[in-house]
């Protein structure tokens, strides 16, 4: 737990050092109480029952057993009660300190991990299952709290108690103490062996649980498609297969843990029996009192308790060990799009974005863009057309640095965007995607998401600016209508209009419109295109579309084929030129129900 893999955890533990130190002090006091618990019984047996004389150092401290036998018994009874009350209070206080500290540590870890994951590049997120991310943010982080509490509440007081017990036993009879303590190495060797086996088994359990969580999220998130194609039985089988593997891993971990306790208890029972026999023989010989034998047996039990406790909490430590490894893996991830230490600020409004011989590949061995060059200035619209997979969306992703060009450069007002602050760069760009992402909030809050600090009035003004206010006011509660998760309670056109208003509120000088009118009916497309016209006015607009009718009036059309610009020009010039664009136009001109609609840069 404290090895290199858990080095990052120590920083969080240090942040709560006051609470953890206070908890440790309380548990140290409890260890002292546990150390004293058997002693009243020792005096009751030796001095009250057998009326042995008190040790000289106890004269005046306890009543004389020869003359005040019942008074001594009463005193010892009250001492036992006091020790029990003290133990209860210390347990409560220690538990509270460690539980609260653990909660705060877990909160900080989860917040930092969430912030770190948000800032990792799209390349990382696209290769991860959403269920995997959620499992590490919730389940794995929660295991760390259980670990902190188990160490503070269970192992710390018992560990300190063992040291005290061993010391006292050696002072009473060092020979018998060595015999009694000889079982300790065996117990902890057994614990170590099983802890390693259990950690490996739990690592497999966690891996299968995470995969199962991802599969469940994927199936339930796509339930409409599952039902539409009648694939429920298939998904039942897929879920069952993953759940079966998770079950097998869990059963194996249970078997390992189930073996742990019996093996440990058997070792303890054999050792206790042998030591009790030897101790009784020593009492018979007169070299040990019955009360001292009771102390030895009580302390032997006390030494065995942490081992038993480890058997009970082995799953907690195993899970925590795996969680530390898994969280550490994500913490070690670095974004493929990193802000340079010497990154420059960018103030004002950009007026030009330029691609200069840009090449890009999602993998090192395969490029999807080859020598792409063009410039887009404020007040102009460039349209990207081409077959699916030709590189249109990849070009759009390079502008806000979701990915970095592998060759060439993307320039903003003449500056390589890799040398600019990411936040400043992304404030220059507004996105309207084919499938807009809306949050579970009111309509106005979804629009206001486009600018930090924007309120309801600014959101309504943005909606009016793009001409969608009438559409929004027609919703059940107008701008206060609550939107379901991912906008499922709205139509595609309504989602698109809200996304356009959000981009208008953002007021960025560069607008990227990725398939803005795809799959819309004629009436909805007309409303959306009118809103887009208002959004694109006086801005640098980059439009990506399969429907060529939406880009006819662009100032320049770039035709892409296999990541290369194979033609460029206006709609009319490209039709006259023939080639790839004319073939696309002829193939797709019937796709648009309203070919007269145009995106015009005012």
């Amino acid at each position: 737990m404290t090895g290199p893999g858990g080095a990052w955890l120590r920083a969080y533990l240090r942040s709560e050092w006051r609470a953890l130190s206070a908890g440790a002090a309380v548990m140290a006091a409890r260890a002292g109480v546990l150390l004293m618990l058997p002693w009243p019984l020792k005096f009751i047996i030796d001095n009250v029952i057998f009326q042995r004389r008190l040790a000289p150092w106890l004269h005046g401290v306890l009543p004389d057993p020869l003359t005040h036998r019942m008074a001594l018994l009463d005193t010892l009874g009250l001492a036992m009660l006091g020790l029990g009350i003290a133990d209860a209070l210390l347990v409560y206080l220690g538990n509270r300190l460690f539980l609260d500290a653990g909660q705060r540590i877990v909160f900080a870890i989860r917040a930092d991990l969430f912030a770190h994951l948000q800032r990792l590049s799209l390349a990382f997120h696209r290769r991860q299952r959403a269920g995997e991310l959620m499992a590490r943010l919730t389940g794995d982080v929660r295991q760390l709290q259980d670990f902190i509490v188990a160490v503070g509440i269970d192992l710390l007081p018992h560990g300190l108690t063992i040291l005290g017990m061993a010391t006292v036993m050696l002072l009473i009879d060092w020979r018998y103490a060595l015999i009694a303590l000889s079982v300790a190495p065996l117990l902890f060797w057994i614990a170590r062996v099983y802890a390693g086996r259990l950690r490996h088994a739990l690592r497999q359990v966690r891996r299968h649980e995470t995969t199962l969580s991802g599969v469940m999220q994927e199936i339930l998130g796509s339930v409409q498609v599952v039902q539409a194609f009648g694939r429920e039985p298939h998904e039942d089988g897929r879920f069952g297969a993953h759940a079966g593997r998770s079950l097998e891993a869990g059963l194996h971990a249970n078997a390992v843990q189930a073996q742990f306790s019996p093996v440990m208890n058997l070792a303890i029972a054999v050792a206790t029996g042998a030591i009790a026999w030897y101790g009784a023989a020593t009492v018979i010989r007169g070299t040990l009192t019955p009360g001292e034998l009771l102390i030895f047996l009580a302390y032997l039990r006390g030494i065995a308790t942490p081992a038993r406790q480890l058997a009970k909490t082995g799953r907690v430590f195993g899970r925590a060990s795996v969680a530390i490894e898994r969280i550490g893996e994500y913490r070690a991830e670095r974004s493929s799009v990193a802000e340079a230490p010497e990154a420059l600020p960018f103030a004002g409004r950009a007026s030009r974005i330029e691609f200069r011989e840009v090449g890009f590949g999602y993998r090192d061995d395969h490029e999807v863009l080859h020598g792409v060059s063009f410039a887009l200035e404020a007040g102009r619209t460039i349209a990207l057309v081409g077959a699916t997979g030709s590189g249109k969306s990849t070009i759009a992703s390079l502008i806000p640095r979701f990915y970095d060009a592998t060759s060439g450069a993307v320039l903003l007002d003449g500056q390589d965007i890799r040398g600019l602050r990411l936040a400043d760069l992304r404030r220059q760009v507004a996105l309207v995607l084919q499938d807009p992402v809306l949050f579970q909030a009111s309509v106005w809050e979804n629009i206001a998401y486009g600018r930090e600090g924007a309120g309801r009035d600014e959101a309504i003004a943005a909606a009016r600016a793009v001409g969608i206010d009438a559409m929004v006011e027609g919703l059940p509660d107008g701008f206060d209508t609550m939107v379901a998760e991912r906008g499922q309670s709205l139509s595609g056109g309504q989602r698109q209009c809200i996304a356009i208003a959000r981009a208008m509120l953002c007021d960025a000088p560069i607008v990227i419109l990725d398939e803005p009118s795809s799959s819309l009916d004629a009436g909805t497309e007309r409303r959306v295109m009118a809103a887009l016209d208002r959004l694109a006015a006086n801005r640098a607009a980059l439009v990506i579309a399969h429907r060529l009718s939406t880009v006819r009036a662009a100032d320049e059309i770039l035709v892409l084929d296999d990541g290369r610009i194979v033609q460029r020009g206006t709609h009319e010039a490209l039709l006259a030129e023939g080639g790839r664009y004319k073939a696309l136009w002829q193939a797709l001109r019937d796709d648009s129900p309203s070919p007269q609609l145009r995106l015009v840069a005012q």
Side-chain angles (χ1 to χ4, degrees):
M1 294 294 179
T2 58
W8 60 268
L9 180 59
R10 289 196 289 272
Y12 291 95
L13 296 176
R14 282 195 296 270
S15 69
E16 288 291 329
W17 71 269
R18 288 184 177 86
L20 294 175
S21 299
V26 169
M27 287 307 178
R30 188 194 174 212
V33 170
L34 293 175
L35 193 64
M36 296 166 62
L37 276 175
W39 283 90
L41 281 176
K42 185 263 186 197
F43 290 125
I44 288 174
I45 293 173
D46 283 349
N47 304 108
V48 175
I49 296 177
F50 291 103
Q51 288 191 294
R52 291 175 179 269
R53 291 186 178 277
L54 291 171
W57 63 274
L58 288 174
H59 289 165
V61 177
L62 292 176
D64 191 310
L66 300 179
T67 58
H68 299 88
R69 191 177 189 184
M70 292 307 297
L72 177 58
L73 179 61
D74 293 341
T75 301
L76 294 172
L78 289 174
M80 292 178 67
L81 178 62
L83 289 172
I85 293 172
D87 184 53
L89 291 175
L90 291 171
V91 167
Y92 167 77
L93 185 57
N95 286 3
R96 185 65 187 270
L97 286 167
F98 278 107
L99 284 169
D100 289 354
Q103 192 73 49
R104 288 191 294 268
I105 289 169
V106 164
F107 175 82
I109 292 172
R110 182 174 286 132
D112 289 348
L113 182 60
F114 178 77
H116 178 65
L117 291 174
Q118 276 201 110
R119 286 158 180 78
L120 291 178
S121 62
L122 289 187
F124 167 81
H125 286 282
R126 286 179 176 172
R127 69 174 185 263
Q128 296 293 324
R129 285 180 179 267
E132 171 88 9
L133 298 178
M134 294 305 299
R136 300 202 190 192
L137 274 171
T138 54
D140 284 349
V141 173
R142 189 167 55 248
Q143 299 299 330
L144 299 184
Q145 183 181 11
D146 295 340
F147 162 67
I148 293 167
V149 170
V151 169
I153 294 175
D154 293 323
L155 291 193
L156 178 61
H158 290 305
L160 294 174
T161 302
I162 287 174
L163 293 176
M165 288 177 176
T167 302
V168 173
M169 290 166 71
L170 288 168
L171 291 174
I172 294 174
D173 188 325
W174 66 270
R175 296 178 182 83
Y176 188 37
L178 291 178
I179 295 172
L181 292 173
S182 63
V183 70
L186 174 63
L187 297 180
F188 285 102
W189 178 80
I190 293 172
R192 181 177 180 180
V193 169
Y194 274 93
R197 291 180 58 192
L198 187 59
R199 184 166 55 250
H200 174 74
L202 290 172
R203 188 178 294 114
Q204 300 304 312
V205 170
R206 196 65 186 148
R207 182 172 65 84
H208 287 298
E209 284 179 349
T210 298
T211 302
L212 181 62
S213 175
V215 169
M216 284 192 295
Q217 186 160 335
E218 181 181 41
I219 294 171
L220 295 178
S222 309
V223 69
Q224 183 177 3
V225 176
V226 172
Q227 293 179 356
F229 288 94
R231 299 290 284 173
E232 293 92 341
H234 167 76
E235 298 301 349
D236 289 344
R238 190 156 72 103
F239 172 83
H242 286 287
R245 286 191 283 272
S246 179
L247 175 62
E248 289 176 7
L251 292 175
H252 175 65
N254 290 342
V256 173
Q257 188 174 19
Q259 294 167 11
F260 191 6
S261 293
V263 171
M264 185 73 74
N265 290 338
L266 178 61
I268 292 171
V270 171
T272 302
I275 293 168
W277 180 89
Y278 180 83
T282 307
V283 171
I284 293 171
R285 289 197 298 268
T287 58
L288 198 68
T289 70
E292 289 171 339
L293 175 60
L294 183 144
I295 292 288
F296 270 85
L297 293 178
Y299 281 3
L300 179 62
R301 183 179 179 184
I303 291 172
T305 297
R308 283 198 178 97
Q309 192 64 37
L310 191 59
K312 293 178 182 178
T313 59
R315 202 175 190 93
V316 172
F317 288 102
R319 285 184 179 274
S321 177
V322 174
I324 288 172
E325 292 175 6
R326 285 161 53 85
I327 294 172
E329 288 173 3
Y330 274 3
R331 287 175 55 86
E333 284 280 352
R334 292 294 174 262
S335 177
S336 59
V337 177
E339 185 175 279
E342 65 281 2
L344 301 174
F346 190 95
R349 293 175 65 83
S351 60
R352 177 185 172 89
I353 187 82
E354 179 184 356
F355 277 59
R356 187 177 293 173
E357 292 295 322
V358 169
F360 175 78
Y362 292 100
R363 303 193 313 268
D364 293 338
D365 59 344
H366 179 67
E367 282 209 337
V368 296
L369 294 180
H370 311 273
V372 172
S373 295
F374 67 89
L376 174 60
E377 298 180 348
R380 291 177 60 81
T381 298
I382 286 183
L384 303 178
V385 300
T388 300
S390 59
K392 304 184 299 296
S393 295
T394 300
I395 289 175
S397 296
L398 295 179
I399 294 175
R401 279 196 75 196
F402 294 148
Y403 300 94
D404 275 336
T406 52
S407 61
V410 180
L411 308 175
L412 186 70
D413 284 356
Q415 299 182 69
D416 191 324
I417 62 173
R418 288 170 291 199
L420 301 176
R421 291 180 185 170
L422 269 175
D424 292 347
L425 167 65
R426 289 173 179 171
R427 274 195 290 268
Q428 303 294 318
V429 183
L431 291 175
V432 179
L433 304 175
Q434 177 183 2
D435 185 16
V437 175
L438 301 185
F439 299 95
Q440 197 166 6
S442 66
V443 169
W444 77 260
E445 287 172 317
N446 271 283
I447 296 174
Y449 195 83
R451 192 179 73 215
E452 185 176 359
R456 190 175 188 275
D457 291 341
E458 291 93 336
I460 294 173
R464 287 176 179 155
V466 293
I468 68 158
D469 51 313
M471 182 273 292
V472 175
E473 287 166 355
L475 296 173
D477 295 312
F479 282 90
D480 295 311
T481 300
M482 291 301 296
V483 178
E485 185 177 3
R486 299 193 65 82
Q488 294 301 310
S489 58
L490 301 176
S491 69
Q494 289 169 332
R495 293 197 298 271
Q496 197 69 271
C497 286
I498 291 171
I500 293 168
R502 178 194 291 167
M504 175 63 82
L505 181 60
C506 174
D507 194 28
I510 300 170
V511 179
I512 298 174
L513 311 172
D514 192 348
E515 307 283 5
S517 63
S518 176
S519 304
L520 300 180
D521 60 74
T524 303
E525 183 183 24
R526 185 179 296 109
R527 182 167 60 245
V528 169
M529 294 306 296
L532 287 171
D533 282 348
R534 294 185 179 93
L535 173 63
N538 302 316
R539 291 180 170 85
L542 184 71
V543 184
I544 301 170
H546 285 301
R547 287 185 175 182
L548 301 186
S549 60
T550 63
V551 296
R552 289 173 60 184
D555 296 289
E556 186 176 24
I557 298 171
L558 305 180
V559 184
L560 292 167
D561 185 23
D562 193 26
R564 293 179 173 83
I565 298 177
V566 295
Q567 286 183 290
R568 64 176 74 207
T570 63
H571 171 68
E572 290 77 10
L574 289 172
L575 284 181
E577 181 181 325
R580 182 67 175 163
Y581 183 80
K582 185 173 183 179
L584 285 170
W585 177 256
Q586 290 174 340
L588 299 174
R589 63 184 176 180
D590 294 331
D591 178 59
S592 173
S594 50
Q596 75 279 8
L597 295 175
R598 308 194 310 168
L599 176 67
V600 180
Q602 300 291 330

